């Protein structure tokens, strides 16, 4: 299929093997939003979330291509298909969110003037030491073929042995910082979910894959005895996880853990707003230790205290008793952490200083600031 090419060649191309706008990978969406906001023309090459997704569309200053990624052959040829689009669109900067095989693109255009930037958000999260070592080694080798390297933070760069040209941490979307919610909107959501004013509501947003949420749920069950008002809403793919779904449906958990499934990104902020605390529960393994949580900053932007496992990355944002509670990845510690969160929520002094304490993170980690101060200068080098 042929698509019209604009008279002025697009400057920046963002490439990701995730859906756009998608649910779980907000970096692509948020960077595209901020670039468009400052007048940049953008090509986005992403994947389809369903067979019915539109192949190509023009939205504002964005030209969006969605490639099929359902069959193995489609996954293996993704970057080859990207090359045809890049050749046609002719951007000068190609910003690729890393996946195995990404180095094919700078190799194809080795003799062009195009600048290829690799963006590494995480290393291998495999629990198997040898597999994790092999995957991280391959990542490091692939990164050598790019003109510039972005890593989410310094601890991950050191772990992978990669020299980063810029650290680009997870950011806070503008709509999370600036959006105002009507009380009627929030009341309607609470009513729909059966949440009363007396409930202590926690929220977990994200995938259930490799997260050991069954351990977290057991901790909630133990905590319920001491905190009878506890309820938890889960946004993400846990609803599609048959084991977790059956675990909740067949036990007392169904009375206070609500699986909502995937929620459109533009609606996530409303669900965060009705909650009393945010949850960042990941296993304390080598694979997850340096992986920065996407949602912690969004909880912080909404002045929610955070219940988080003690990974190195989480401890960069969550400070015990200041803006949340840090726990081990055991059911017993989950239970203890929920009780400590309950105590903080009933402490007026805690609420008084929470917003001012979190302001340091909001100022430093807004996507608007990160794109303007870090990403644009890197594109122009």
């Amino acid at each position: 299929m042929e698509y019209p090419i604009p008279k002025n060649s697009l400057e920046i191309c963002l490439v990701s093997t995730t859906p756009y706008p998608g649910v779980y990978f907000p970096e692509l969406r948020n960077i595209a939003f901020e670039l468009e906001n400052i007048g940049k023309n953008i090509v986005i090459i992403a994947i389809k979330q369903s067979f019915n997704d539109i192949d190509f569309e023009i939205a504002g200053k964005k030209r969006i291509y969605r490639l099929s990624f359902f069959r193995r052959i489609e996954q293996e040829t993704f970057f080859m298909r990207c090359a045809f689009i890049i050749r046609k669109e002719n951007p000068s900067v190609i910003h690729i969110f890393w996946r195995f095989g990404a180095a094919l693109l700078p190799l194809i255009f080795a003799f062009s003037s195009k600048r290829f930037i690799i963006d590494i958000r995480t290393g291998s999260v495999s629990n198997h030491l040898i597999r994790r070592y092999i995957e991280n080694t391959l990542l490091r080798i692939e990164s050598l073929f790019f003109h510039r390297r972005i890593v989410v933070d310094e601890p991950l760069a050191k772990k992978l042995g990669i020299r980063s040209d810029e650290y680009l941490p997870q950011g806070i979307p503008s709509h999370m910082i600036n959006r105002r919610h009507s009380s009627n909107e929030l009341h309607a959501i609470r009513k729909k979910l059966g949440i009363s004013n007396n409930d202590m509501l926690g929220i977990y947003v994200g995938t259930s894959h490799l997260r050991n949420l069954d351990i977290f749920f057991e901790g909630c069950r133990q905590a319920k005895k001491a905190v009878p008002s506890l309820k938890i809403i889960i946004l993400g793919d846990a609803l599609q996880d048959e084991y977790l779904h059956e675990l909740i449906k067949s036990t007392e958990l169904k009375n206070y853990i609500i699986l909502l499934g995937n929620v459109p990104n533009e609606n996530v902020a409303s669900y965060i707003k009705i909650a009393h605390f945010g949850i960042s529960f990941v296993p304390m393994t080598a694979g997850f230790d340096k992986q920065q949580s996407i949602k912690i900053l969004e909880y912080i932007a909404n002045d929610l205290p955070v219940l988080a496992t003690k990974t190195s990355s989480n401890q960069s944002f969550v400070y015990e008793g200041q803006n949340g509670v840090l726990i081990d990845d055991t059911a017993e510690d989950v239970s203890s952490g929920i009780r400590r969160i309950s105590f903080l929520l009933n402490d007026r002094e805690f609420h008084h200083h929470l917003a001012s304490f979190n302001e340091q993170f909001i100022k430093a980690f807004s996507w608007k600031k990160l794109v303007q101060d870090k990403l644009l200068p890197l594109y122009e080098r």
Side-chain angles (χ1 to χ4, degrees), residues 147-255:
H147 300 95
R148 296 284 183 268
R149 285 157 290 279
I150 295 171
V151 183
V152 68
D153 57 20
E154 188 175 3
L156 180 61
K158 288 182 175 178
K159 172 186 172 182
L160 298 174
I162 291 175
R163 180 185 62 80
S164 178
D165 296 286
E166 185 60 83
Y167 297 117
L168 186 69
Q170 307 290 2
I172 304 172
S174 297
H175 72 273
M176 285 285 183
I177 300 173
N178 302 323
R179 183 176 175 185
R180 296 292 179 265
H181 300 76
S182 72
S183 56
N184 288 340
E185 175 192 5
L186 300 181
H187 177 73
I189 294 173
R190 295 177 71 90
K191 183 177 180 181
K192 177 183 175 182
L193 298 178
I195 307 297
S196 76
N197 291 332
N198 296 323
D199 289 329
M200 188 182 95
L201 184 62
I203 183 169
Y204 174 94
V205 184
T207 181
S208 63
H209 182 58
L210 299 177
R211 295 315 195 264
N212 296 349
L213 288 186
D214 53 339
I215 294 175
F216 175 76
F217 292 161
E218 171 58 22
C220 292
R221 189 191 66 79
Q222 295 178 18
K224 186 72 172 172
K225 299 171 185 176
V227 189
S229 60
L230 176 68
K231 283 191 177 179
I232 305 288
I233 54 176
I234 310 287
L235 279 62
D237 61 7
L239 187 59
Q240 285 76 47
D241 187 313
E242 291 185 9
Y243 170 69
L244 294 179
H245 196 201
E246 285 301 315
L247 176 66
I248 290 172
K249 192 170 67 171
S250 62
T251 67
E252 66 201 66
L253 293 170
K254 65 179 180 292
N255 298 320

Side-chain angles (χ1 to χ4, degrees), residues 124 126-137 286-287:
S124 171
S126 173
N127 290 325
H128 301 287
L129 178 62
I130 295 176
R131 180 176 178 179
R132 190 167 65 245
Y133 173 80
I134 292 172
E135 289 177 350
N136 286 339
T137 300

Side-chain angles (χ1 to χ4, degrees), residues 309-320:
T309 41
K310 296 176 184 174
T311 62
S312 297
S313 180
N314 282 350
Q315 291 184 75
S316 298
F317 298 101
V318 180
Y319 291 77
E320 179 72 34

Side-chain angles (χ1 to χ4, degrees), residues 101-127:
L104 180 65
L105 287 176
L107 285 172
I108 290 173
F109 294 95
F111 298 103
S112 75
S113 60
K114 301 182 187 305
R115 298 190 299 280
F116 285 84
I117 299 172
I118 190 70
D119 190 329
I120 300 166
R121 302 276 100 193
T122 181
S124 171
V125 296
S126 173
N127 290 325

